[in-house]
Amino acid sequence: MSPRSRMGELEQAVLEALWDLDAGSGERSGASGREVHERLSGRDLAYTTVMTVLDRLVAKDVVVRERDGRAYRYAPRQSRAAMTAGLMHEALGETGSDRDQALVSFVGEASAEDLAALRRALADLA
């Protein structure tokens, strides 16, 4: 079972905030607990709750923590795309002999944009 499939809704929200903050951080890697808390300001969460969730994500090896002066900076261990790909591989692995049918079903329900992205990806691999 992948780390992301073991995460609760709040853990997922904190991870999403880290991805968003990391994407706009420029040179700096990761985000402080305060920055994550501010990013989640619309959720009315206590700062200590955000810090507890960050600690849980570190324990689950989903997030890395580095000392930055007297505080810590947190960063996702994997990109959003890498973690999503891992979930897709995990789900396909659980289908057993129905793997082909699962792929056909997935593609059958994909949007035009998703199909175009799949075509580009397959063309790049060829």
Side-chain angles (χ1 to χ4, degrees), residues 81-114:
M83 190 170 270
T84 300
L87 284 172
M88 293 171 72
H89 284 288
E90 179 183 323
L92 285 172
E94 293 173 359
T95 61
S97 61
D98 293 337
R99 183 181 179 113
D100 289 351
Q101 187 56 43
L103 284 168
V104 168
S105 180
F106 173 76
V107 171
E109 295 178 17
S111 68
E113 294 83 18
D114 289 342

Coordinates of all heavy atoms in Angstrom, one line a residue, residues 81-114:
A81 N 3.2 14.4 -9.6 CA 3.1 13.4 -10.7 C 3.7 12.1 -10.4 O 3.1 11.0 -10.7 CB 3.8 14.0 -12.0
A82 N 4.8 12.0 -9.7 CA 5.4 10.7 -9.3 C 4.5 10.0 -8.4 O 4.4 8.7 -8.5 CB 6.8 11.0 -8.7
M83 N 3.9 10.7 -7.4 CA 3.1 10.0 -6.4 C 1.8 9.5 -7.1 O 1.3 8.3 -6.9 CB 2.7 10.9 -5.3 CG 2.0 10.1 -4.1 SD 1.9 11.0 -2.6 CE 3.4 10.6 -1.8
T84 N 1.3 10.2 -8.0 CA 0.1 9.8 -8.8 C 0.4 8.6 -9.6 O -0.4 7.6 -9.7 CB -0.5 11.0 -9.6 OG1 -0.8 12.1 -8.8 CG2 -1.7 10.5 -10.4
A85 N 1.5 8.6 -10.3 CA 1.9 7.5 -11.1 C 2.1 6.2 -10.2 O 1.7 5.1 -10.6 CB 3.2 7.8 -11.8
G86 N 2.6 6.4 -9.0 CA 2.8 5.2 -8.1 C 1.4 4.7 -7.7 O 1.2 3.4 -7.7
L87 N 0.4 5.5 -7.5 CA -0.9 5.1 -7.2 C -1.5 4.3 -8.3 O -2.2 3.3 -8.2 CB -1.8 6.3 -6.8 CG -1.6 6.8 -5.4 CD1 -2.4 8.1 -5.3 CD2 -2.0 5.8 -4.4
M88 N -1.3 4.8 -9.5 CA -1.8 4.1 -10.7 C -1.2 2.7 -10.9 O -1.9 1.8 -11.1 CB -1.6 5.0 -12.0 CG -2.4 6.3 -11.9 SD -2.0 7.4 -13.2 CE -2.7 6.6 -14.7
H89 N 0.1 2.7 -10.7 CA 0.8 1.4 -10.8 C 0.3 0.4 -9.7 O 0.1 -0.8 -9.9 CB 2.3 1.5 -10.6 CG 2.9 2.0 -11.9 ND1 3.1 1.3 -13.0 CD2 3.5 3.2 -12.2 CE1 3.7 2.0 -14.0 NE2 3.9 3.2 -13.5
E90 N 0.1 0.9 -8.5 CA -0.4 0.1 -7.4 C -1.8 -0.4 -7.7 O -2.1 -1.6 -7.5 CB -0.5 1.0 -6.1 CG -1.0 0.3 -4.9 CD -1.1 1.2 -3.7 OE1 -0.2 2.0 -3.5 OE2 -2.1 1.0 -2.9
A91 N -2.7 0.5 -8.2 CA -4.1 0.1 -8.6 C -4.0 -1.0 -9.7 O -4.8 -2.0 -9.6 CB -4.9 1.3 -9.0
L92 N -3.2 -0.8 -10.7 CA -3.1 -1.8 -11.7 C -2.6 -3.1 -11.2 O -3.0 -4.2 -11.7 CB -2.3 -1.3 -12.9 CG -2.9 -0.2 -13.8 CD1 -1.9 0.4 -14.7 CD2 -4.1 -0.8 -14.5
G93 N -1.7 -3.1 -10.3 CA -1.1 -4.3 -9.7 C -2.2 -5.1 -8.9 O -2.1 -6.3 -8.9
E94 N -3.2 -4.4 -8.4 CA -4.2 -5.0 -7.6 C -5.3 -5.6 -8.4 O -6.2 -6.3 -7.9 CB -4.8 -4.0 -6.6 CG -3.8 -3.6 -5.5 CD -4.3 -2.5 -4.6 OE1 -5.5 -2.0 -4.8 OE2 -3.6 -2.1 -3.7
T95 N -5.3 -5.3 -9.7 CA -6.4 -5.8 -10.6 C -6.1 -7.3 -11.1 O -7.0 -7.9 -11.6 CB -6.6 -4.9 -11.9 OG1 -5.4 -4.9 -12.6 CG2 -7.0 -3.5 -11.5
G96 N -4.9 -7.7 -10.9 CA -4.6 -9.1 -11.2 C -4.8 -9.4 -12.7 O -4.2 -8.6 -13.6
S97 N -5.6 -10.4 -13.1 CA -5.7 -10.7 -14.5 C -6.6 -9.8 -15.2 O -6.7 -9.8 -16.4 CB -6.3 -12.1 -14.5 OG -7.6 -12.2 -13.9
D98 N -7.3 -8.8 -14.5 CA -8.1 -7.8 -15.2 C -7.4 -6.6 -15.5 O -8.0 -5.5 -15.8 CB -9.3 -7.5 -14.3 CG -10.3 -8.7 -14.1 OD1 -10.3 -9.6 -14.9 OD2 -11.0 -8.7 -13.1
R99 N -6.1 -6.6 -15.6 CA -5.3 -5.4 -15.8 C -5.6 -4.8 -17.2 O -5.8 -3.6 -17.3 CB -3.8 -5.8 -15.8 CG -2.9 -4.6 -16.0 CD -1.4 -5.1 -15.9 NE -0.5 -4.0 -16.1 CZ 0.3 -3.5 -15.2 NH1 0.3 -4.1 -14.0 NH2 1.0 -2.5 -15.5
D100 N -5.7 -5.6 -18.2 CA -6.1 -5.0 -19.5 C -7.4 -4.4 -19.5 O -7.6 -3.3 -20.0 CB -6.1 -6.2 -20.6 CG -4.7 -6.6 -20.9 OD1 -3.7 -6.0 -20.5 OD2 -4.6 -7.7 -21.7
Q101 N -8.4 -5.0 -18.9 CA -9.8 -4.4 -18.8 C -9.8 -3.1 -18.0 O -10.5 -2.2 -18.3 CB -10.7 -5.4 -18.2 CG -12.2 -5.0 -18.2 CD -12.6 -4.6 -19.7 OE1 -12.3 -5.3 -20.6 NE2 -13.3 -3.5 -19.8
A102 N -8.9 -3.1 -16.9 CA -8.9 -1.9 -16.1 C -8.3 -0.7 -17.0 O -8.8 0.4 -16.9 CB -8.0 -2.1 -14.9
L103 N -7.3 -1.0 -17.7 CA -6.7 0.0 -18.6 C -7.7 0.5 -19.7 O -7.9 1.7 -19.9 CB -5.4 -0.5 -19.3 CG -4.2 -0.5 -18.4 CD1 -3.1 -1.3 -19.1 CD2 -3.7 0.9 -18.1
V104 N -8.4 -0.4 -20.3 CA -9.5 -0.1 -21.3 C -10.6 0.8 -20.6 O -11.0 1.8 -21.2 CB -10.0 -1.4 -21.9 CG1 -11.3 -1.0 -22.7 CG2 -9.0 -2.0 -22.8
S105 N -11.0 0.4 -19.4 CA -12.0 1.1 -18.7 C -11.5 2.6 -18.4 O -12.2 3.5 -18.6 CB -12.4 0.4 -17.4 OG -13.4 1.1 -16.7
F106 N -10.3 2.7 -17.9 CA -9.7 4.0 -17.6 C -9.7 4.9 -18.9 O -10.1 6.0 -18.8 CB -8.3 3.8 -17.1 CG -7.5 5.1 -16.9 CD1 -7.8 5.9 -15.8 CD2 -6.6 5.5 -17.8 CE1 -7.2 7.1 -15.6 CE2 -5.9 6.7 -17.6 CZ -6.2 7.5 -16.5
V107 N -9.2 4.3 -20.0 CA -9.1 5.1 -21.2 C -10.5 5.5 -21.7 O -10.7 6.6 -22.2 CB -8.2 4.4 -22.3 CG1 -8.3 5.1 -23.6 CG2 -6.8 4.3 -21.8
G108 N -11.4 4.5 -21.5 CA -12.8 4.8 -22.0 C -13.5 5.9 -21.3 O -14.4 6.6 -21.8
E109 N -13.0 6.2 -20.0 CA -13.6 7.3 -19.3 C -12.8 8.5 -19.2 O -13.1 9.5 -18.6 CB -13.8 6.8 -17.8 CG -14.9 5.6 -17.7 CD -15.0 5.1 -16.3 OE1 -14.6 5.8 -15.4 OE2 -15.5 4.0 -16.2
A110 N -11.6 8.5 -19.9 CA -10.7 9.7 -19.9 C -11.3 10.8 -20.8 O -12.0 10.6 -21.8 CB -9.4 9.3 -20.5
S111 N -11.0 12.0 -20.4 CA -11.4 13.2 -21.1 C -10.6 13.3 -22.4 O -9.5 12.7 -22.5 CB -11.3 14.5 -20.3 OG -9.9 14.7 -20.1
A112 N -11.0 14.2 -23.3 CA -10.3 14.4 -24.5 C -8.9 15.0 -24.2 O -7.9 14.6 -24.8 CB -11.0 15.4 -25.4
E113 N -8.8 15.8 -23.2 CA -7.5 16.3 -22.8 C -6.6 15.2 -22.2 O -5.4 15.2 -22.5 CB -7.6 17.4 -21.7 CG -8.3 18.7 -22.2 CD -9.8 18.6 -22.2 OE1 -10.4 17.7 -21.5 OE2 -10.5 19.4 -22.9
D114 N -7.1 14.3 -21.4 CA -6.4 13.2 -20.9 C -5.9 12.3 -22.0 O -4.8 11.8 -22.0 CB -7.2 12.4 -19.9 CG -7.4 13.1 -18.6 OD1 -6.7 14.1 -18.3 OD2 -8.4 12.7 -17.8

